[in-house]
Amino acid sequence: MPYKTNWEPHGIIWKFYGYVTAEEIEEANNEFYTDERSDDSRYQIIDALEVTNVEWNDVDIKEIAAQDKGASFLLHKLKVAYISKDEKVTAVLEKYIDISKILNSTWKFKGFNDLNSAKRWVKDFKNPDKKGI
């Protein structure tokens, strides 16, 4: 399993590493949605700094974006931060965000280069960033 999960009081942090497949991304999502802590979650942080390659094709991206759109009916104000410095990984994550926006997701998305910046953004509940990316 190329990821580790850390639940926090208001959200979840996933640290992915190595070669990540669409199945593993779906597994992480299922872990989130089937856990009762997700009901009160305000954020997800996807730390992809140690990802070396990602196998997530357009069909996979659309499927996950559609599932997340369905979840957004219950989790209206979720903030999703991703951390990546790799161009290929960032491009895949941004494609997912673009599709989510086309589906009119209510979630806010933003990319970062480091964990501390991502944590500050997701934990700012009083002044949420309305722009996202």
Side-chain angles (χ1 to χ4, degrees), residues 91-124:
V92 170
L93 291 167
E94 288 179 353
K95 186 177 283 190
Y96 159 80
I97 291 168
D98 289 343
I99 292 168
S100 295
K101 287 180 178 181
I102 290 167
L103 295 173
N104 294 316
S105 175
T106 59
W107 295 356
K108 304 297 179 212
F109 302 92
K110 194 166 182 175
F112 296 90
N113 289 321
D114 64 271
L115 182 59
N116 288 334
S117 298
K119 282 185 174 183
R120 278 193 301 275
W121 181 71
V122 298
K123 293 182 179 182
D124 183 8

PDB file of all heavy atoms in Angstrom, residues 91-124:
ATOM      1  N   ALA A  91       0.267  17.572 -12.833  1.00  0.00           N
ATOM      2  CA  ALA A  91      -0.627  17.632 -14.001  1.00  0.00           C
ATOM      3  C   ALA A  91      -1.831  16.706 -13.820  1.00  0.00           C
ATOM      4  O   ALA A  91      -2.955  17.078 -14.162  1.00  0.00           O
ATOM      5  CB  ALA A  91       0.143  17.274 -15.272  1.00  0.00           C
ATOM      6  N   VAL A  92      -1.608  15.519 -13.276  1.00  0.00           N
ATOM      7  CA  VAL A  92      -2.705  14.579 -13.055  1.00  0.00           C
ATOM      8  C   VAL A  92      -3.663  15.125 -12.000  1.00  0.00           C
ATOM      9  O   VAL A  92      -4.886  15.086 -12.168  1.00  0.00           O
ATOM     10  CB  VAL A  92      -2.156  13.192 -12.650  1.00  0.00           C
ATOM     11  CG1 VAL A  92      -3.263  12.274 -12.178  1.00  0.00           C
ATOM     12  CG2 VAL A  92      -1.404  12.560 -13.812  1.00  0.00           C
ATOM     13  N   LEU A  93      -3.119  15.668 -10.917  1.00  0.00           N
ATOM     14  CA  LEU A  93      -3.961  16.234  -9.862  1.00  0.00           C
ATOM     15  C   LEU A  93      -4.759  17.430 -10.379  1.00  0.00           C
ATOM     16  O   LEU A  93      -5.941  17.588 -10.053  1.00  0.00           O
ATOM     17  CB  LEU A  93      -3.106  16.631  -8.659  1.00  0.00           C
ATOM     18  CG  LEU A  93      -2.498  15.457  -7.888  1.00  0.00           C
ATOM     19  CD1 LEU A  93      -1.424  15.945  -6.923  1.00  0.00           C
ATOM     20  CD2 LEU A  93      -3.562  14.676  -7.154  1.00  0.00           C
ATOM     21  N   GLU A  94      -4.141  18.242 -11.200  1.00  0.00           N
ATOM     22  CA  GLU A  94      -4.849  19.402 -11.745  1.00  0.00           C
ATOM     23  C   GLU A  94      -5.933  18.981 -12.734  1.00  0.00           C
ATOM     24  O   GLU A  94      -6.980  19.634 -12.822  1.00  0.00           O
ATOM     25  CB  GLU A  94      -3.858  20.381 -12.364  1.00  0.00           C
ATOM     26  CG  GLU A  94      -3.055  21.102 -11.287  1.00  0.00           C
ATOM     27  CD  GLU A  94      -2.034  22.077 -11.819  1.00  0.00           C
ATOM     28  OE1 GLU A  94      -1.807  22.141 -13.040  1.00  0.00           O
ATOM     29  OE2 GLU A  94      -1.440  22.794 -10.986  1.00  0.00           O
ATOM     30  N   LYS A  95      -5.718  17.882 -13.440  1.00  0.00           N
ATOM     31  CA  LYS A  95      -6.757  17.372 -14.343  1.00  0.00           C
ATOM     32  C   LYS A  95      -7.968  16.931 -13.525  1.00  0.00           C
ATOM     33  O   LYS A  95      -9.112  17.192 -13.893  1.00  0.00           O
ATOM     34  CB  LYS A  95      -6.222  16.218 -15.189  1.00  0.00           C
ATOM     35  CG  LYS A  95      -7.217  15.741 -16.236  1.00  0.00           C
ATOM     36  CD  LYS A  95      -6.640  14.644 -17.100  1.00  0.00           C
ATOM     37  CE  LYS A  95      -5.700  15.254 -18.118  1.00  0.00           C
ATOM     38  NZ  LYS A  95      -5.277  14.294 -19.151  1.00  0.00           N
ATOM     39  N   TYR A  96      -7.710  16.252 -12.402  1.00  0.00           N
ATOM     40  CA  TYR A  96      -8.802  15.861 -11.503  1.00  0.00           C
ATOM     41  C   TYR A  96      -9.568  17.107 -11.021  1.00  0.00           C
ATOM     42  O   TYR A  96     -10.797  17.121 -11.010  1.00  0.00           O
ATOM     43  CB  TYR A  96      -8.252  15.075 -10.308  1.00  0.00           C
ATOM     44  CG  TYR A  96      -9.185  15.075  -9.130  1.00  0.00           C
ATOM     45  CD1 TYR A  96     -10.270  14.214  -9.081  1.00  0.00           C
ATOM     46  CD2 TYR A  96      -9.002  15.966  -8.081  1.00  0.00           C
ATOM     47  CE1 TYR A  96     -11.150  14.227  -8.011  1.00  0.00           C
ATOM     48  CE2 TYR A  96      -9.863  15.989  -7.009  1.00  0.00           C
ATOM     49  CZ  TYR A  96     -10.936  15.130  -6.979  1.00  0.00           C
ATOM     50  OH  TYR A  96     -11.810  15.159  -5.924  1.00  0.00           O
ATOM     51  N   ILE A  97      -8.859  18.142 -10.639  1.00  0.00           N
ATOM     52  CA  ILE A  97      -9.494  19.375 -10.160  1.00  0.00           C
ATOM     53  C   ILE A  97     -10.312  20.026 -11.271  1.00  0.00           C
ATOM     54  O   ILE A  97     -11.446  20.465 -11.043  1.00  0.00           O
ATOM     55  CB  ILE A  97      -8.426  20.347  -9.598  1.00  0.00           C
ATOM     56  CG1 ILE A  97      -7.847  19.760  -8.305  1.00  0.00           C
ATOM     57  CG2 ILE A  97      -9.021  21.739  -9.356  1.00  0.00           C
ATOM     58  CD1 ILE A  97      -6.589  20.466  -7.820  1.00  0.00           C
ATOM     59  N   ASP A  98      -9.773  20.063 -12.476  1.00  0.00           N
ATOM     60  CA  ASP A  98     -10.510  20.640 -13.609  1.00  0.00           C
ATOM     61  C   ASP A  98     -11.826  19.892 -13.842  1.00  0.00           C
ATOM     62  O   ASP A  98     -12.866  20.511 -14.056  1.00  0.00           O
ATOM     63  CB  ASP A  98      -9.663  20.607 -14.882  1.00  0.00           C
ATOM     64  CG  ASP A  98      -8.507  21.588 -14.844  1.00  0.00           C
ATOM     65  OD1 ASP A  98      -8.521  22.522 -14.010  1.00  0.00           O
ATOM     66  OD2 ASP A  98      -7.569  21.414 -15.653  1.00  0.00           O
ATOM     67  N   ILE A  99     -11.786  18.576 -13.789  1.00  0.00           N
ATOM     68  CA  ILE A  99     -12.998  17.778 -13.980  1.00  0.00           C
ATOM     69  C   ILE A  99     -13.976  18.020 -12.827  1.00  0.00           C
ATOM     70  O   ILE A  99     -15.179  18.157 -13.042  1.00  0.00           O
ATOM     71  CB  ILE A  99     -12.657  16.290 -14.142  1.00  0.00           C
ATOM     72  CG1 ILE A  99     -11.907  16.070 -15.463  1.00  0.00           C
ATOM     73  CG2 ILE A  99     -13.914  15.416 -14.079  1.00  0.00           C
ATOM     74  CD1 ILE A  99     -11.277  14.709 -15.613  1.00  0.00           C
ATOM     75  N   SER A 100     -13.454  18.108 -11.619  1.00  0.00           N
ATOM     76  CA  SER A 100     -14.313  18.380 -10.464  1.00  0.00           C
ATOM     77  C   SER A 100     -15.021  19.720 -10.608  1.00  0.00           C
ATOM     78  O   SER A 100     -16.200  19.850 -10.265  1.00  0.00           O
ATOM     79  CB  SER A 100     -13.491  18.365  -9.175  1.00  0.00           C
ATOM     80  OG  SER A 100     -12.990  17.068  -8.940  1.00  0.00           O
ATOM     81  N   LYS A 101     -14.317  20.699 -11.133  1.00  0.00           N
ATOM     82  CA  LYS A 101     -14.932  22.019 -11.349  1.00  0.00           C
ATOM     83  C   LYS A 101     -16.005  21.953 -12.432  1.00  0.00           C
ATOM     84  O   LYS A 101     -17.057  22.580 -12.309  1.00  0.00           O
ATOM     85  CB  LYS A 101     -13.868  23.047 -11.697  1.00  0.00           C
ATOM     86  CG  LYS A 101     -13.023  23.425 -10.499  1.00  0.00           C
ATOM     87  CD  LYS A 101     -11.982  24.455 -10.879  1.00  0.00           C
ATOM     88  CE  LYS A 101     -11.170  24.858  -9.673  1.00  0.00           C
ATOM     89  NZ  LYS A 101     -10.171  25.884 -10.012  1.00  0.00           N
ATOM     90  N   ILE A 102     -15.756  21.195 -13.481  1.00  0.00           N
ATOM     91  CA  ILE A 102     -16.756  21.020 -14.538  1.00  0.00           C
ATOM     92  C   ILE A 102     -18.021  20.382 -13.960  1.00  0.00           C
ATOM     93  O   ILE A 102     -19.136  20.720 -14.351  1.00  0.00           O
ATOM     94  CB  ILE A 102     -16.191  20.173 -15.704  1.00  0.00           C
ATOM     95  CG1 ILE A 102     -15.134  20.973 -16.459  1.00  0.00           C
ATOM     96  CG2 ILE A 102     -17.299  19.702 -16.647  1.00  0.00           C
ATOM     97  CD1 ILE A 102     -14.300  20.153 -17.428  1.00  0.00           C
ATOM     98  N   LEU A 103     -17.841  19.482 -12.991  1.00  0.00           N
ATOM     99  CA  LEU A 103     -18.966  18.816 -12.338  1.00  0.00           C
ATOM    100  C   LEU A 103     -19.604  19.692 -11.255  1.00  0.00           C
ATOM    101  O   LEU A 103     -20.516  19.258 -10.561  1.00  0.00           O
ATOM    102  CB  LEU A 103     -18.504  17.491 -11.725  1.00  0.00           C
ATOM    103  CG  LEU A 103     -18.033  16.424 -12.704  1.00  0.00           C
ATOM    104  CD1 LEU A 103     -17.450  15.225 -11.953  1.00  0.00           C
ATOM    105  CD2 LEU A 103     -19.165  15.992 -13.620  1.00  0.00           C
ATOM    106  N   ASN A 104     -19.110  20.914 -11.127  1.00  0.00           N
ATOM    107  CA  ASN A 104     -19.623  21.873 -10.139  1.00  0.00           C
ATOM    108  C   ASN A 104     -19.475  21.399  -8.701  1.00  0.00           C
ATOM    109  O   ASN A 104     -20.384  21.564  -7.884  1.00  0.00           O
ATOM    110  CB  ASN A 104     -21.087  22.234 -10.431  1.00  0.00           C
ATOM    111  CG  ASN A 104     -21.236  22.977 -11.727  1.00  0.00           C
ATOM    112  OD1 ASN A 104     -20.461  23.877 -12.026  1.00  0.00           O
ATOM    113  ND2 ASN A 104     -22.207  22.575 -12.527  1.00  0.00           N
ATOM    114  N   SER A 105     -18.342  20.830  -8.395  1.00  0.00           N
ATOM    115  CA  SER A 105     -18.063  20.432  -7.022  1.00  0.00           C
ATOM    116  C   SER A 105     -18.076  21.668  -6.126  1.00  0.00           C
ATOM    117  O   SER A 105     -17.620  22.744  -6.521  1.00  0.00           O
ATOM    118  CB  SER A 105     -16.693  19.756  -6.933  1.00  0.00           C
ATOM    119  OG  SER A 105     -16.379  19.476  -5.581  1.00  0.00           O
ATOM    120  N   THR A 106     -18.580  21.499  -4.910  1.00  0.00           N
ATOM    121  CA  THR A 106     -18.587  22.593  -3.941  1.00  0.00           C
ATOM    122  C   THR A 106     -17.271  22.676  -3.176  1.00  0.00           C
ATOM    123  O   THR A 106     -17.084  23.578  -2.369  1.00  0.00           O
ATOM    124  CB  THR A 106     -19.733  22.405  -2.928  1.00  0.00           C
ATOM    125  OG1 THR A 106     -19.544  21.150  -2.251  1.00  0.00           O
ATOM    126  CG2 THR A 106     -21.081  22.440  -3.615  1.00  0.00           C
ATOM    127  N   TRP A 107     -16.392  21.738  -3.413  1.00  0.00           N
ATOM    128  CA  TRP A 107     -15.128  21.694  -2.693  1.00  0.00           C
ATOM    129  C   TRP A 107     -14.170  22.768  -3.206  1.00  0.00           C
ATOM    130  O   TRP A 107     -14.222  23.174  -4.361  1.00  0.00           O
ATOM    131  CB  TRP A 107     -14.476  20.332  -2.824  1.00  0.00           C
ATOM    132  CG  TRP A 107     -15.260  19.221  -2.191  1.00  0.00           C
ATOM    133  CD1 TRP A 107     -16.418  19.334  -1.467  1.00  0.00           C
ATOM    134  CD2 TRP A 107     -14.949  17.837  -2.241  1.00  0.00           C
ATOM    135  NE1 TRP A 107     -16.844  18.097  -1.059  1.00  0.00           N
ATOM    136  CE2 TRP A 107     -15.969  17.159  -1.512  1.00  0.00           C
ATOM    137  CE3 TRP A 107     -13.933  17.108  -2.817  1.00  0.00           C
ATOM    138  CZ2 TRP A 107     -15.962  15.780  -1.349  1.00  0.00           C
ATOM    139  CZ3 TRP A 107     -13.934  15.736  -2.663  1.00  0.00           C
ATOM    140  CH2 TRP A 107     -14.933  15.077  -1.926  1.00  0.00           C
ATOM    141  N   LYS A 108     -13.275  23.193  -2.336  1.00  0.00           N
ATOM    142  CA  LYS A 108     -12.211  24.138  -2.683  1.00  0.00           C
ATOM    143  C   LYS A 108     -10.925  23.336  -2.842  1.00  0.00           C
ATOM    144  O   LYS A 108     -10.627  22.459  -2.029  1.00  0.00           O
ATOM    145  CB  LYS A 108     -12.033  25.194  -1.598  1.00  0.00           C
ATOM    146  CG  LYS A 108     -13.294  25.967  -1.272  1.00  0.00           C
ATOM    147  CD  LYS A 108     -13.775  26.756  -2.455  1.00  0.00           C
ATOM    148  CE  LYS A 108     -15.056  27.498  -2.110  1.00  0.00           C
ATOM    149  NZ  LYS A 108     -15.927  27.654  -3.230  1.00  0.00           N
ATOM    150  N   PHE A 109     -10.155  23.653  -3.880  1.00  0.00           N
ATOM    151  CA  PHE A 109      -8.919  22.941  -4.184  1.00  0.00           C
ATOM    152  C   PHE A 109      -7.762  23.924  -4.250  1.00  0.00           C
ATOM    153  O   PHE A 109      -7.925  25.039  -4.745  1.00  0.00           O
ATOM    154  CB  PHE A 109      -9.021  22.238  -5.545  1.00  0.00           C
ATOM    155  CG  PHE A 109     -10.147  21.263  -5.648  1.00  0.00           C
ATOM    156  CD1 PHE A 109     -11.388  21.653  -6.130  1.00  0.00           C
ATOM    157  CD2 PHE A 109      -9.978  19.944  -5.280  1.00  0.00           C
ATOM    158  CE1 PHE A 109     -12.438  20.751  -6.243  1.00  0.00           C
ATOM    159  CE2 PHE A 109     -11.012  19.020  -5.396  1.00  0.00           C
ATOM    160  CZ  PHE A 109     -12.240  19.437  -5.868  1.00  0.00           C
ATOM    161  N   LYS A 110      -6.600  23.452  -3.817  1.00  0.00           N
ATOM    162  CA  LYS A 110      -5.407  24.294  -3.947  1.00  0.00           C
ATOM    163  C   LYS A 110      -4.157  23.419  -3.863  1.00  0.00           C
ATOM    164  O   LYS A 110      -4.106  22.469  -3.086  1.00  0.00           O
ATOM    165  CB  LYS A 110      -5.383  25.350  -2.840  1.00  0.00           C
ATOM    166  CG  LYS A 110      -4.383  26.456  -3.089  1.00  0.00           C
ATOM    167  CD  LYS A 110      -4.633  27.630  -2.174  1.00  0.00           C
ATOM    168  CE  LYS A 110      -3.641  28.737  -2.500  1.00  0.00           C
ATOM    169  NZ  LYS A 110      -3.906  29.936  -1.718  1.00  0.00           N
ATOM    170  N   GLY A 111      -3.159  23.771  -4.661  1.00  0.00           N
ATOM    171  CA  GLY A 111      -1.895  23.046  -4.666  1.00  0.00           C
ATOM    172  C   GLY A 111      -0.827  23.773  -3.875  1.00  0.00           C
ATOM    173  O   GLY A 111      -0.824  25.012  -3.812  1.00  0.00           O
ATOM    174  N   PHE A 112       0.084  23.001  -3.298  1.00  0.00           N
ATOM    175  CA  PHE A 112       1.153  23.547  -2.470  1.00  0.00           C
ATOM    176  C   PHE A 112       2.459  22.810  -2.736  1.00  0.00           C
ATOM    177  O   PHE A 112       2.459  21.705  -3.263  1.00  0.00           O
ATOM    178  CB  PHE A 112       0.791  23.411  -0.983  1.00  0.00           C
ATOM    179  CG  PHE A 112      -0.411  24.217  -0.595  1.00  0.00           C
ATOM    180  CD1 PHE A 112      -1.674  23.659  -0.673  1.00  0.00           C
ATOM    181  CD2 PHE A 112      -0.281  25.524  -0.182  1.00  0.00           C
ATOM    182  CE1 PHE A 112      -2.800  24.391  -0.330  1.00  0.00           C
ATOM    183  CE2 PHE A 112      -1.394  26.275   0.155  1.00  0.00           C
ATOM    184  CZ  PHE A 112      -2.650  25.707   0.086  1.00  0.00           C
ATOM    185  N   ASN A 113       3.559  23.439  -2.300  1.00  0.00           N
ATOM    186  CA  ASN A 113       4.881  22.826  -2.417  1.00  0.00           C
ATOM    187  C   ASN A 113       5.352  22.203  -1.108  1.00  0.00           C
ATOM    188  O   ASN A 113       6.355  21.514  -1.076  1.00  0.00           O
ATOM    189  CB  ASN A 113       5.919  23.860  -2.862  1.00  0.00           C
ATOM    190  CG  ASN A 113       5.724  24.273  -4.299  1.00  0.00           C
ATOM    191  OD1 ASN A 113       5.409  23.438  -5.138  1.00  0.00           O
ATOM    192  ND2 ASN A 113       5.883  25.539  -4.582  1.00  0.00           N
ATOM    193  N   ASP A 114       4.652  22.500   0.012  1.00  0.00           N
ATOM    194  CA  ASP A 114       5.082  21.971   1.302  1.00  0.00           C
ATOM    195  C   ASP A 114       3.879  21.728   2.207  1.00  0.00           C
ATOM    196  O   ASP A 114       2.825  22.341   2.048  1.00  0.00           O
ATOM    197  CB  ASP A 114       6.081  22.914   1.980  1.00  0.00           C
ATOM    198  CG  ASP A 114       5.464  24.248   2.315  1.00  0.00           C
ATOM    199  OD1 ASP A 114       5.496  25.164   1.467  1.00  0.00           O
ATOM    200  OD2 ASP A 114       4.936  24.373   3.437  1.00  0.00           O
ATOM    201  N   LEU A 115       4.060  20.847   3.173  1.00  0.00           N
ATOM    202  CA  LEU A 115       2.982  20.430   4.061  1.00  0.00           C
ATOM    203  C   LEU A 115       2.501  21.566   4.964  1.00  0.00           C
ATOM    204  O   LEU A 115       1.296  21.724   5.176  1.00  0.00           O
ATOM    205  CB  LEU A 115       3.433  19.231   4.904  1.00  0.00           C
ATOM    206  CG  LEU A 115       2.408  18.639   5.863  1.00  0.00           C
ATOM    207  CD1 LEU A 115       1.156  18.166   5.126  1.00  0.00           C
ATOM    208  CD2 LEU A 115       3.028  17.497   6.652  1.00  0.00           C
ATOM    209  N   ASN A 116       3.408  22.357   5.501  1.00  0.00           N
ATOM    210  CA  ASN A 116       2.999  23.418   6.422  1.00  0.00           C
ATOM    211  C   ASN A 116       2.068  24.428   5.765  1.00  0.00           C
ATOM    212  O   ASN A 116       1.088  24.860   6.375  1.00  0.00           O
ATOM    213  CB  ASN A 116       4.222  24.120   7.017  1.00  0.00           C
ATOM    214  CG  ASN A 116       4.937  23.244   8.019  1.00  0.00           C
ATOM    215  OD1 ASN A 116       4.344  22.364   8.634  1.00  0.00           O
ATOM    216  ND2 ASN A 116       6.228  23.468   8.189  1.00  0.00           N
ATOM    217  N   SER A 117       2.345  24.812   4.531  1.00  0.00           N
ATOM    218  CA  SER A 117       1.469  25.745   3.822  1.00  0.00           C
ATOM    219  C   SER A 117       0.096  25.134   3.583  1.00  0.00           C
ATOM    220  O   SER A 117      -0.929  25.800   3.736  1.00  0.00           O
ATOM    221  CB  SER A 117       2.088  26.158   2.484  1.00  0.00           C
ATOM    222  OG  SER A 117       3.301  26.833   2.690  1.00  0.00           O
ATOM    223  N   ALA A 118       0.074  23.862   3.218  1.00  0.00           N
ATOM    224  CA  ALA A 118      -1.203  23.171   2.995  1.00  0.00           C
ATOM    225  C   ALA A 118      -2.009  23.109   4.285  1.00  0.00           C
ATOM    226  O   ALA A 118      -3.218  23.366   4.292  1.00  0.00           O
ATOM    227  CB  ALA A 118      -0.950  21.761   2.449  1.00  0.00           C
ATOM    228  N   LYS A 119      -1.348  22.804   5.401  1.00  0.00           N
ATOM    229  CA  LYS A 119      -2.042  22.727   6.689  1.00  0.00           C
ATOM    230  C   LYS A 119      -2.625  24.085   7.083  1.00  0.00           C
ATOM    231  O   LYS A 119      -3.753  24.145   7.576  1.00  0.00           O
ATOM    232  CB  LYS A 119      -1.095  22.235   7.781  1.00  0.00           C
ATOM    233  CG  LYS A 119      -0.868  20.748   7.759  1.00  0.00           C
ATOM    234  CD  LYS A 119      -0.004  20.341   8.949  1.00  0.00           C
ATOM    235  CE  LYS A 119       0.123  18.847   9.038  1.00  0.00           C
ATOM    236  NZ  LYS A 119       0.887  18.425  10.224  1.00  0.00           N
ATOM    237  N   ARG A 120      -1.864  25.140   6.884  1.00  0.00           N
ATOM    238  CA  ARG A 120      -2.388  26.473   7.226  1.00  0.00           C
ATOM    239  C   ARG A 120      -3.642  26.783   6.423  1.00  0.00           C
ATOM    240  O   ARG A 120      -4.615  27.302   6.952  1.00  0.00           O
ATOM    241  CB  ARG A 120      -1.326  27.545   6.982  1.00  0.00           C
ATOM    242  CG  ARG A 120      -0.326  27.678   8.113  1.00  0.00           C
ATOM    243  CD  ARG A 120       0.513  28.933   7.998  1.00  0.00           C
ATOM    244  NE  ARG A 120       1.268  29.016   6.764  1.00  0.00           N
ATOM    245  CZ  ARG A 120       2.463  28.459   6.567  1.00  0.00           C
ATOM    246  NH1 ARG A 120       3.041  27.767   7.527  1.00  0.00           N
ATOM    247  NH2 ARG A 120       3.078  28.590   5.411  1.00  0.00           N
ATOM    248  N   TRP A 121      -3.632  26.457   5.131  1.00  0.00           N
ATOM    249  CA  TRP A 121      -4.784  26.755   4.276  1.00  0.00           C
ATOM    250  C   TRP A 121      -6.011  25.942   4.668  1.00  0.00           C
ATOM    251  O   TRP A 121      -7.097  26.488   4.816  1.00  0.00           O
ATOM    252  CB  TRP A 121      -4.434  26.520   2.808  1.00  0.00           C
ATOM    253  CG  TRP A 121      -5.554  26.821   1.870  1.00  0.00           C
ATOM    254  CD1 TRP A 121      -6.055  28.049   1.542  1.00  0.00           C
ATOM    255  CD2 TRP A 121      -6.333  25.863   1.139  1.00  0.00           C
ATOM    256  NE1 TRP A 121      -7.097  27.906   0.636  1.00  0.00           N
ATOM    257  CE2 TRP A 121      -7.281  26.578   0.375  1.00  0.00           C
ATOM    258  CE3 TRP A 121      -6.317  24.476   1.045  1.00  0.00           C
ATOM    259  CZ2 TRP A 121      -8.201  25.954  -0.464  1.00  0.00           C
ATOM    260  CZ3 TRP A 121      -7.224  23.849   0.213  1.00  0.00           C
ATOM    261  CH2 TRP A 121      -8.158  24.598  -0.533  1.00  0.00           C
ATOM    262  N   VAL A 122      -5.859  24.642   4.855  1.00  0.00           N
ATOM    263  CA  VAL A 122      -7.029  23.815   5.150  1.00  0.00           C
ATOM    264  C   VAL A 122      -7.595  24.098   6.530  1.00  0.00           C
ATOM    265  O   VAL A 122      -8.788  23.930   6.765  1.00  0.00           O
ATOM    266  CB  VAL A 122      -6.761  22.292   4.996  1.00  0.00           C
ATOM    267  CG1 VAL A 122      -6.390  21.947   3.574  1.00  0.00           C
ATOM    268  CG2 VAL A 122      -5.746  21.779   5.996  1.00  0.00           C
ATOM    269  N   LYS A 123      -6.764  24.525   7.448  1.00  0.00           N
ATOM    270  CA  LYS A 123      -7.227  24.747   8.816  1.00  0.00           C
ATOM    271  C   LYS A 123      -7.742  26.164   9.047  1.00  0.00           C
ATOM    272  O   LYS A 123      -8.157  26.502  10.154  1.00  0.00           O
ATOM    273  CB  LYS A 123      -6.126  24.392   9.800  1.00  0.00           C
ATOM    274  CG  LYS A 123      -5.846  22.886   9.778  1.00  0.00           C
ATOM    275  CD  LYS A 123      -4.803  22.470  10.755  1.00  0.00           C
ATOM    276  CE  LYS A 123      -4.598  20.960  10.673  1.00  0.00           C
ATOM    277  NZ  LYS A 123      -3.633  20.486  11.642  1.00  0.00           N
ATOM    278  N   ASP A 124      -7.765  26.988   8.021  1.00  0.00           N
ATOM    279  CA  ASP A 124      -8.314  28.336   8.125  1.00  0.00           C
ATOM    280  C   ASP A 124      -9.820  28.255   7.883  1.00  0.00           C
ATOM    281  O   ASP A 124     -10.302  28.485   6.787  1.00  0.00           O
ATOM    282  CB  ASP A 124      -7.640  29.267   7.117  1.00  0.00           C
ATOM    283  CG  ASP A 124      -8.118  30.699   7.244  1.00  0.00           C
ATOM    284  OD1 ASP A 124      -8.854  31.013   8.204  1.00  0.00           O
ATOM    285  OD2 ASP A 124      -7.768  31.510   6.383  1.00  0.00           O
TER     286      ASP A 124
END
